[in-house]
Amino acid sequence: MVDKSRQYSISQLAKEFDVTPRAIRHYEQIGLIAPQRVGQNRIYNAADRIRLKLIVRGKRLGLSLEQSREIINMYEHGANNAAQLETLIDAIRLQRERLQAQLEELNSMLGDLDQAEAESLEALAHSDRAKAG
Amino acid sequence: MVDKSRQYSISQLAKEFDVTPRAIRHYEQIGLIAPQRVGQNRIYNAADRIRLKLIVRGKRLGLSLEQSREIINMYEHGANNAAQLETLIDAIRLQRERLQAQLEELNSMLGDLDQAEAESLEALAHSDRAKAG
DNA sequence: CGCCAAGTTGACGTTAGCGTTAACGAAAGG
DNA sequence: CCTTTCGTTAACGCTAACGTCAACTTGGCG
C-alpha cells in the first residue's frame, strides 16, 4: 500500500506513469492537478498521484482531459447536501453510460476482428492444402 | 439487408452516420475512402459505406484515423499468399490485444465509478436520515 | 429565365495535447 | 570552482481532424 503521506517529485511521477514532466505540468496548467510548492519546486502528494493515475488511465481509454476532469470531480465530490449529491450521481451515471456504449462498440469491434481472423485462418488453411497438394 | 449495389450521395451517408460531408471528404483526402465519380460528384457504393461505418465506429472507440486504416485493411485483405495472410493475422491479433487492454481499462474504470456512485448514494442516505431525524 | 439546393475545390482557421527549444536557478559532487 | 543533474518559466511549434469561408458549377422547378 502506498503511504498516504508520501511525497513525489515530478520526475518520479513521470517515470511511474510513463509520461513526461511537460505533460504533468500541462495537466497543472489546465487545472487538473495542483501540487504544493517548496520554493518553486513542485511536490506531489498521494492525492495528486491518484489524480494523475486517473488521467493516464483516461488517456488509455481515449478520454479527453475534460472528460477525465469530470471523472476526477466525481472522486473528489465532497458534496455535502442532497442536491449536490444527486447532481453528482447523475454525472456518474452519464459517464457510465458513455463508457458502457464504448464497451459495446468495443465488443462488436472485437467480434468483427475475430471473424476477420477466422476468415484469414481459413484462407491460410486452403493455401496450405494447395501447397501440400 | 442493404442492397449490395446501392449508391449513396455524400449527404446521404453524412446523415446516416451523423458526420459532416466535410469529414467524409477528409477521409477521402487521406485515402480511407475512394468513391466513384459521376462528373465531379462523388458516388458511394456499399463497400464505401462499410468503410465509413468502420471509421465512425473507430471514432466512437477513440481510435485515430490511422488505426482505423489498419482495421479497414484487415477487412480488405485480399492477401493471396501464406506470408501475407500470416502478416495479416498478426496485425489482427495485435489490434485485438490493444482493444482487449482498452476493455480491461474500461472495466476497471466502470468499477471505480460504481464505487463512487455507491459512496454517493450512501452519503445521500445519511443526509436523508439527517433530514428525517 | 431566375433561383435555390446540393455539389465541388482550394485554402486558411481552430482545438487538443503536448513537444521542443531557450534561458535560467539551485543542489550535489569531484 | 566547475560541471552535472533536476528543476523552473515562457513561448513558439506541431499533428490530427476536421470547421469554415469563398468562389464556383450543376440540375431541377415554378
Side-chain angles (χ1 to χ4, degrees):
Chain A
M1 193 160 147
V2 180
D3 188 350
K4 181 99 180 162
S5 67
R6 266 211 64 178
Q7 308 207 127
Y8 312 83
S9 74
I10 194 167
S11 55
Q12 277 172 10
L13 287 187
K15 192 168 291 182
E16 176 174 358
F17 295 110
D18 194 33
V19 296
T20 66
R22 172 67 179 96
I24 298 182
R25 290 194 197 100
H26 176 65
Y27 303 146
E28 180 177 348
Q29 277 184 33
I30 65 174
L32 288 183
I33 310 186
Q36 288 176 26
R37 295 292 184 125
V38 171
Q40 70 174 4
N41 286 37
R42 294 168 172 84
I43 297 295
Y44 300 85
N45 61 25
D48 297 324
R49 186 176 158 281
I50 295 299
R51 267 171 232 145
L52 185 53
K53 187 174 193 169
L54 288 173
I55 295 170
V56 301
R57 202 195 243 173
K59 282 192 55 185
R60 283 202 288 272
L61 272 174
L63 300 188
S64 73
L65 293 181
E66 289 311 310
Q67 288 174 312
S68 289
R69 185 198 302 277
E70 292 180 41
I71 292 184
I72 288 176
N73 288 340
M74 292 176 200
Y75 280 85
E76 308 188 345
H77 35 56
N80 38 15
N81 70 60
Q84 271 184 53
L85 280 172
E86 284 182 14
T87 303
L88 171 65
I89 292 173
D90 285 350
I92 292 177
R93 291 215 168 108
L94 196 93
Q95 188 77 32
R96 209 178 46 183
E97 278 164 30
R98 284 183 206 153
L99 294 182
Q100 290 279 10
Q102 211 178 123
L103 193 142
E104 282 167 34
E105 285 289 324
L106 234 169
N107 277 324
S108 77
M109 206 89 168
L110 283 174
D112 286 349
L113 286 180
D114 280 341
Q115 191 192 329
E117 186 173 13
E119 284 170 14
S120 296
L121 286 172
E122 197 178 340
L124 193 56
H126 287 317
S127 75
D128 281 354
R129 258 184 293 169
K131 256 197 249 169
Chain B
M1 193 157 155
V2 179
D3 188 348
K4 181 101 180 158
S5 67
R6 265 211 67 178
Q7 309 207 127
Y8 312 83
S9 75
I10 193 166
S11 55
Q12 278 172 10
L13 287 188
K15 193 167 291 182
E16 176 175 357
F17 294 109
D18 195 33
V19 297
T20 65
R22 172 67 178 95
I24 299 182
R25 290 194 196 101
H26 177 66
Y27 302 148
E28 180 177 348
Q29 277 184 32
I30 65 174
L32 288 182
I33 310 185
Q36 288 177 24
R37 295 293 184 124
V38 171
Q40 70 174 6
N41 286 37
R42 294 167 171 82
I43 298 295
Y44 300 83
N45 62 26
D48 296 324
R49 185 176 158 282
I50 295 298
R51 267 171 233 144
L52 185 54
K53 188 174 193 169
L54 288 173
I55 294 170
V56 301
R57 204 193 243 173
K59 283 192 55 184
R60 283 201 288 270
L61 272 174
L63 300 189
S64 74
L65 293 182
E66 290 311 311
Q67 288 175 312
S68 290
R69 186 198 300 279
E70 291 181 40
I71 291 184
I72 288 175
N73 288 339
M74 293 177 199
Y75 279 86
E76 308 188 345
H77 34 59
N80 37 16
N81 69 61
Q84 272 184 52
L85 280 173
E86 284 183 15
T87 303
L88 172 65
I89 293 174
D90 285 350
I92 292 177
R93 290 217 169 107
L94 195 92
Q95 188 78 33
R96 208 178 46 184
E97 276 163 32
R98 283 184 207 151
L99 294 183
Q100 291 279 10
Q102 209 178 125
L103 193 142
E104 281 167 34
E105 283 290 323
L106 233 169
N107 277 324
S108 77
M109 206 90 169
L110 283 173
D112 286 348
L113 286 180
D114 280 341
Q115 190 193 329
E117 185 173 13
E119 283 170 16
S120 297
L121 287 171
E122 196 179 340
L124 192 56
H126 286 318
S127 77
D128 281 355
R129 257 184 294 169
K131 256 197 248 169

